[in-house]
Amino acid sequence: MKHVLFVLVALFCLLMAGCAPREVRYVVGVSQCSDDEWREQMNKEIRREALFYPGVKIDIRTAKDNNAQQIADIESLIGEGVDLLIVSPNEADAITPVIEKAYNKGIPVVLVDRKIRSDKYTAYVGADNYEIGRQVGSYIAERLQGKGNLVEVAGLKASTSALERHRGLMDALRETPDIKLIASADAAWLRVPAEKAFGDILSKFPDIDMVFAHNDRMAAGAYDAAVKQHREHDMLFVGIDALAGEGYGVEQVANRQLDATFIYPTGGDKVMEVAMNILQGRDYTRETVLSTALVNKANARIMQMQTAHIGQLDNKIEVLDKQLDTYLMRYSSQRMLLYACIVILVLVAMLLFFVVRAFWTKNRLNAELSDQKKRLEEQRDQLISLSKQLEEATHAKLAFFTNVSHDFRTPLTLIAAPVNQLAESNKLGENERFLLNIIQKNVTVLLRLINQILDFRKFENGKLSMTLSRFDISENIKDWTDAFRTLSYRKHIHFTVSVEEPSEEGYVMIADAEKMERITYNLLSNAFKFTPENGTIEIKLSQFTKEGERWLRYQVSDTGIGMPAEHVKHIFESFYQIDVHHAGSGIGLALVKAFVEMHGGTIAVDSGEGRGTVFTLEMPVQQNGVPEENVEKNIVLTNLKEGAVLSADQETIQTAPEVVERDDKETVLIIDDNQDVRDYVKSLLHDKYTVIEASNGQKGLQQAMKYVPDAVICDVMMPVMDGMECCRRLKSEVQTSHIPVMMLTAYTMDEQKVKGYECGADSYILKPFSARLLQVRLRNLIDNRLRLQSFFADKTSLRKEPIADLDKGFVEKLRALIDEQLGNSELSVEDLGDKIGMSRVQLYRKSKALTGYSPNELLRIARLKKAASLLASTEKTIAEITYEVGFSSPSYFTKCYKDYFGESPTDFLKRKG
């Protein structure tokens, strides 16, 4: 056993050694003077380059332009015993002593970008600030053609980079004495100080030709100051850095805010390369000067594209690095598992020597338990991962909705206030007031939806509170339900509110009246949304005692379409939607449940397909807390005018009005489930067309079969039958296949349009649409159809193509005669000729020339189309229709009908159902 113990200990040590993390060989401390975007880019490059040197740890500190903080950072890094220091000094005089201290302690020091007042450093990496200042001066001299006024916005003047850039600038400008440096300001490398300093300069100097800032941030600040004084076009701006990215130097040049900028390379990768050469004893260059270049409008766009491509490559490198870390972790886990398996196998092998049978039994059980445990762990990890992903997605969606809702509230409020003021004006015409009412109604809808989203977000974050008050719910319920009365009348829904005999205390309760109103509103909206015409909706109030306290039972029931069991258990979940035809925001019922639970109550639903739905709420009558004094909650739904009631998800439910009588104008059928849209389109068309309406695709199809309009305007997304299916059915019926269909849609995707055209749509109008565009396109559709279709397109009335004025009288008289004599089976061509005043031959030739049909053909077609209309819209028998339209026998009528329509009247009635 001693040998066994020894072997196990040895294997355990081997396992621990194999699992130990990799040794850190070098610690490199980085002290940055600032945390601007230029230095963030350098830090990123340093970290990325360090990945190529295993065993290197990078510790980056940022002083934020504070000398004392940078000295403390360097002292801390020295105390921690870093192997090498990388320092970008804030101010040379202040930082020099502490850098000399590190150098004297034998710590290599690599200076970046800026130098110190000493030679006690190991290496320097950065651009030549004097040279870049000289290049800027040469560019200014060339750009101003040797003459002009110049303003310099300098960096921190105690830093070597600012001093050298200024010196290089001045040396270059000595060759052009007519360029005057009229002002200079220290802006400490920052945008806001630069804006303030240059603003003061602008107020003193009216004539400035060019501004040179020591970096792009200060150049942008100077530009902002010029914009505020409307002088940005009077001068040119030049900066240094040429960083790519949104709002940085290259983009500012491309957008013509800066005239030019000069590349000041970050060189993070070069810094790390020099540092590693020093640490590993390889040769290195003590002074590494990075090159620079001009960026102006000629190459800024190219720089942007190149930088974008480099950024993509950097992102790919980061992704690969993360994948590598994942693979290394996986490898480490697998190695640990391998070592563990080796230990177990050795142990089992040694135990096998002592008890063979016991070993095999135990081995089998352990193997089974191990596999089961592994599967359970994998399932647990998958469930945890999916749960986190779902939670993150939900919170992201809610956060997005909340942010958008906050952004919408102010402009919507600013819209609502002027609209309400306009509504009170007595100078509006009837049409203007009609349009204003639509605006008022939909602004209210948006505000209500936004408030609902914000309330739901507050509840999710635990910040939704109650405002308690004392009120009589039986009285308030009457006011809350009044807004739904109009809709109940229009949909012929029997809507009742019943209240059981109250106790001595009555129905006075302490609760949040506003939330109770919202509960009522959402539940009733859903009930009206899913309850068809002639249905029943009922609200019941009652009381009961639970654990010695009075409780309220509040039921909302309907005889609507109901819900399948698989949907019932999910309807209170956030963002759950039953189908696309009844899709809303998905938070209405979730918010109802939240409000009920805040009151310490419960909500349950009982529903089934075809048997309606019952929501039952139970909650204490008296909530814990102090109600507001002298407040009697009596909240009434506002802005819900006759003809519009909102669902829990803020969708408008409407019923179609009766069809107006047709006159001699062309007829247009409008199919849309939104009453406001139908009213608005009708207001655009009623002067030139007879307009009929339908609230969904199924009703629209029935209206089209009955009235055969000249054109159909149809929405895409509707309940019962959507616009696509309605269009397909219209185009498949003989009676309606010729009618042009215009689709209204909010979708802009080509796939959606292709699907619509495949269903037979003739045109698309995108929401929101131009009134003029809709009118012109509708006119063109009808005119184009009239040029192609036969003369009998609607209710057997003769339709005329463009003809000469002399022929109009003939066509109108022929049409009137055929309409009058349609039921006369004895009517002959001679009779028609006598009434018109022509011989048989003259009538034949005239009719054939103008219509393309002989008089007999016109009469037969008119009778067949009249018969088709009667078959589609009445319950008359085939025999009755045969004689009513002037055929002498049902058999001959059946033959003619089948020859013309391709099916017998009996087949049509079977298909009609």
Side-chain angles (χ1 to χ4, degrees), residues 571-774:
I571 61 171
F572 293 115
E573 295 176 4
S574 305
F575 309 116
Y576 185 79
Q577 298 170 346
I578 295 178
D579 57 51
V580 297
H581 298 308
H582 301 105
S585 66
I587 64 173
L589 291 178
L591 200 57
V592 167
K593 186 173 185 291
F595 288 163
V596 172
E597 291 176 350
M598 288 180 69
H599 284 81
T602 61
I603 183 171
V605 58
D606 179 24
S607 183
E609 288 186 278
R611 62 180 180 87
T613 302
V614 179
F615 286 90
T616 303
L617 286 68
E618 295 180 352
M619 65 179 64
V621 171
Q622 305 289 333
Q623 297 294 316
N624 294 328
V626 180
E628 294 181 355
E629 297 182 1
N630 302 322
V631 176
E632 181 67 21
K633 294 287 185 179
N634 187 18
I635 303 170
V636 182
L637 291 172
T638 59
N639 290 319
L640 298 179
K641 302 184 183 301
E642 181 176 355
V645 171
L646 305 177
S647 74
D649 287 327
Q650 313 304 321
E651 295 176 353
T652 304
I653 304 172
Q654 296 289 356
T655 57
E658 290 297 323
V659 179
V660 298
E661 286 193 2
R662 298 182 56 172
D663 52 22
D664 59 347
K665 296 186 290 188
E666 290 154 324
T667 302
V668 177
L669 169 62
I670 303 172
I671 309 174
D672 198 300
D673 61 329
N674 190 304
Q675 181 68 50
D676 288 338
V677 174
R678 298 202 304 271
D679 289 344
Y680 180 63
V681 176
K682 184 176 179 180
S683 71
L684 298 176
L685 304 179
H686 76 279
D687 288 336
K688 297 182 179 180
Y689 303 93
T690 297
V691 180
I692 57 178
E693 303 177 48
S695 59
N696 57 57
Q698 182 174 323
K699 292 182 178 179
L701 185 62
Q702 294 171 353
Q703 297 281 65
M705 293 287 290
K706 182 175 182 180
Y707 295 102
V708 193
D710 297 279
V712 173
I713 300 175
C714 182
D715 191 19
V716 173
M717 295 301 298
M718 293 183 293
V720 184
M721 179 188 292
D722 62 25
M724 297 296 184
E725 178 63 16
C726 179
C727 180
R728 188 189 65 78
R729 294 281 297 274
L730 286 171
K731 294 298 182 178
S732 64
E733 294 291 342
V734 174
Q735 293 88 338
T736 58
S737 61
H738 66 283
I739 302 174
V741 178
M742 178 189 297
M743 306 295 289
L744 296 180
T745 180
Y747 292 99
T748 59
M749 295 184 298
D750 289 340
E751 293 82 357
Q752 186 78 11
K753 296 181 181 179
V754 169
K755 184 177 179 182
Y757 286 128
E758 288 176 347
C759 293
D762 298 273
S763 180
Y764 256 94
I765 291 286
L766 297 179
K767 295 178 180 178
F769 53 81
S770 161
R772 180 59 180 161
L773 176 62
L774 183 140

Side-chain angles (χ1 to χ4, degrees), residues 392-421:
E392 291 173 357
T394 300
H395 284 295
K397 187 174 183 180
L398 274 176
F400 172 77
F401 285 162
T402 303
N403 293 337
V404 172
S405 299
H406 277 294
D407 290 339
F408 281 172
R409 289 188 73 177
T410 299
L412 280 176
T413 303
L414 294 176
I415 293 172
V419 167
N420 291 335
Q421 291 178 353

Side-chain angles (χ1 to χ4, degrees), residues 264 283 354 459 704 788:
Y264 190 68
D283 293 337
F354 299 100
F459 176 78
L788 299 175

Side-chain angles (χ1 to χ4, degrees), residues 48-68:
R48 186 169 59 232
E49 187 69 17
L51 296 174
F52 296 98
Y53 301 96
V56 175
K57 178 182 177 183
I58 305 295
D59 185 357
I60 299 178
R61 311 285 178 90
T62 300
K64 297 184 178 179
D65 303 308
N66 187 298
N67 291 330

Side-chain angles (χ1 to χ4, degrees), residues 310-448:
I310 292 172
Q312 292 176 355
L313 295 179
D314 286 345
N315 291 335
K316 291 181 180 178
I317 290 174
E318 291 179 2
V319 171
L320 291 175
D321 180 55
K322 292 179 182 178
Q323 291 179 346
L324 180 60
D325 290 341
T326 302
Y327 294 148
L328 289 175
M329 292 178 61
R330 187 179 301 169
Y331 166 74
S332 177
S333 301
Q334 292 174 347
R335 185 173 59 178
M336 290 177 62
L337 181 61
L338 176 62
Y339 289 156
C341 291
I342 292 174
V343 172
I344 293 173
L345 289 174
V346 172
L347 177 62
V348 170
M350 300 183 78
L351 291 177
L352 182 63
F353 178 77
F354 299 100
V355 272
V356 177
R357 293 180 63 87
F359 163 74
W360 286 114
T361 303
K362 185 178 180 181
N363 184 61
R364 177 174 54 82
L365 293 175
N366 284 341
E368 292 177 356
L369 289 174
S370 178
D371 291 339
Q372 185 177 4
K373 179 181 178 183
K374 187 175 180 180
R375 288 195 297 269
L376 290 174
E377 288 177 348
E378 291 176 351
Q379 293 175 359
R380 180 199 62 192
D381 294 341
Q382 291 176 356
L383 289 174
I384 291 174
S385 176
L386 290 173
S387 177
K388 289 181 178 179
Q389 292 176 10
L390 180 60
E391 183 178 359
E392 291 173 357
T394 300
H395 284 295
K397 187 174 183 180
L398 274 176
F400 172 77
F401 285 162
T402 303
N403 293 337
V404 172
S405 299
H406 277 294
D407 290 339
F408 281 172
R409 289 188 73 177
T410 299
L412 280 176
T413 303
L414 294 176
I415 293 172
V419 167
N420 291 335
Q421 291 178 353
L422 288 174
E424 296 173 1
S425 172
N426 297 324
K427 299 180 180 180
L428 296 177
E430 183 177 350
N431 187 55
E432 287 81 3
R433 190 168 298 280
F434 167 77
L435 296 175
L436 200 61
N437 287 337
I438 294 178
I439 297 174
Q440 280 185 306
K441 185 186 302 178
N442 287 281
V443 167
T444 303
V445 171
L446 288 175
L447 286 173
R448 186 180 293 276

Side-chain angles (χ1 to χ4, degrees), residues 810 813-814 817-818 828-851 853-856 858:
F810 167 79
K813 192 170 185 179
L814 179 60
L817 284 173
I818 291 176
S828 65
V829 177
E830 287 79 7
D831 295 332
L832 288 174
D834 291 340
K835 294 181 181 296
I836 290 179
M838 293 183 179
S839 67
R840 176 187 178 91
V841 174
Q842 290 173 330
L843 177 61
Y844 177 87
R845 291 178 177 175
K846 189 78 171 179
S847 174
K848 194 73 172 180
L850 291 178
T851 68
Y853 294 95
S854 67
N856 277 330
L858 291 176

